[in-house]
């Protein structure tokens, strides 16, 4: 993927990442509605197009085929205008994104959300540890320019609405700055 030239984008691409349960999908759907950008739920795409190497039975999750996934997404992402929703962020080419949002949730709020999804205790514990250790935030800071990585709290509906408003304002500013 590294050899493709940089094409101009007429709308921005935003990555919304974070530990499972922090609100990526809900926030992405609302932000897509508010901005007119297209929501790409990468987890659903992986399942629908079988971009995986089978199921990891221990965690009941798919083993991703990174190369297939990047190939599948490249054409859609190139012209811009996407909100990409995924729990991991270091698999994507750096040049894809204009803004990387890392959603964060407090332990006491995240735990019951994960329980509510019917995850087994191994999967709950793994995700709790991921959030406590700031794994996704560190990954985002290692993978993208510091100034495009933004950490946002996602504990309540109020915070989620605030986050959506911020994303909307950011997109409007980007469109102004890039229209000529
Ligand atoms: P993710 O896509 O990160 O796994 P989600 O959007 O599916 O998370 O949300 C998981 C559940 O938690 C879902 O029932 C909605 C709820 N939720 C997420 N973010 C929230 C927030 N900021 N306030 C209240 N509920 C939230």
């Amino acid at each position: 993927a590294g050899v493709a030239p940089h094409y101009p984008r007429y709308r921005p691409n935003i990555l919304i990442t974070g530990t499972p349960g922090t609100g990526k999908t809900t926030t992405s759907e609302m932000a897509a509605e508010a901005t007119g950008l297209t929501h790409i739920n990468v987890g659903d795409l992986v399942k629908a197009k079988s971009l995986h190497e089978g199921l990891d039975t221990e965690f009941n999750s798919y083993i991703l085929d990174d190369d297939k996934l990047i190939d599948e997404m490249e054409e859609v992402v190139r012209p811009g205008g996407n909100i990409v929703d995924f729990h991991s962020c270091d698999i994507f080419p750096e040049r894809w994104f204009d803004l990387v949002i890392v959603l964060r949730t407090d332990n006491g709020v995240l735990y019951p959300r994960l329980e509510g999804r019917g995850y087994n205790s191994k999967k709950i514990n793994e995700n709790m540890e991921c959030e406590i250790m700031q794994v996704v935030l560190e990954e985002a800071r290692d993978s993208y320019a510091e100034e495009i990585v933004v950490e946002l709290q996602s504990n309540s509906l109020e915070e989620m609405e605030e986050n959506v408003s911020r994303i909307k304002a950011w997109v409007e500013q980007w469109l102004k700055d890039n229209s000529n």
Side-chain angles (χ1 to χ4, degrees):
V3 293
H6 290 243
Y7 289 87
R9 281 198 279 271
Y10 301 102
R11 292 189 301 165
N13 285 319
I14 300 172
L15 175 62
I16 299 188
T17 189
T19 305
T22 52
K24 295 179 297 296
T25 297
T26 317
T27 304
S28 297
E29 282 170 355
M30 287 170 67
E33 178 78 34
T35 59
L37 302 192
T38 303
H39 174 206
I40 302 178
N41 183 324
V42 175
D44 286 353
L45 185 70
V46 167
K47 268 183 248 169
K49 304 241 167 169
S50 292
L51 309 170
H52 57 77
E53 297 162 340
L55 202 61
D56 179 338
T57 48
E58 197 179 340
F59 293 104
N60 194 33
S61 58
Y62 288 99
I63 303 159
L64 200 64
D65 186 330
D66 298 21
D67 292 339
K68 266 196 203 164
L69 174 64
I70 302 308
D71 283 352
E72 179 70 35
M73 290 177 70
E74 180 79 58
E75 296 296 311
V76 177
V77 168
R78 183 176 295 146
N82 299 284
I83 296 176
V84 175
D85 155 13
F86 200 46
H87 54 73
S88 176
C89 61
D90 62 354
I91 57 166
F92 305 115
E94 188 182 354
R95 64 188 155 77
W96 275 9
F97 299 109
D98 303 287
L99 177 66
V100 175
I101 290 172
V102 183
L103 296 179
R104 302 300 311 277
T105 301
D106 295 340
N107 302 338
V109 178
L110 185 60
Y111 196 94
R113 278 191 202 161
L114 295 171
E115 266 187 322
R117 287 186 154 181
Y119 282 1
N120 65 37
S121 57
K122 192 175 183 96
K123 194 155 171 171
I124 293 179
N125 291 337
E126 199 214 28
N127 285 316
M128 288 302 295
E129 189 173 311
C130 172
E131 185 61 6
I132 291 162
M133 301 300 286
Q134 313 197 142
V135 171
V136 182
L137 182 63
E138 304 274 320
E139 197 178 285
R141 288 181 173 152
D142 287 345
S143 307
Y144 300 93
E146 187 184 4
E147 61 272 21
I148 74 161
V149 178
V150 178
E151 181 184 8
L152 295 177
Q153 295 302 311
S154 177
N155 294 295
S156 62
L157 282 176
E158 199 182 1
E159 282 178 347
M160 182 144 55
E161 279 163 8
E162 223 174 272
N163 294 341
V164 171
S165 300
R166 281 186 66 169
I167 293 166
K168 185 169 189 272
W170 181 90
V171 170
E172 283 163 2
Q173 190 60 50
W174 190 97
L175 292 173
K176 269 187 210 156
D177 293 345
N178 291 271
S179 69
N180 47 24

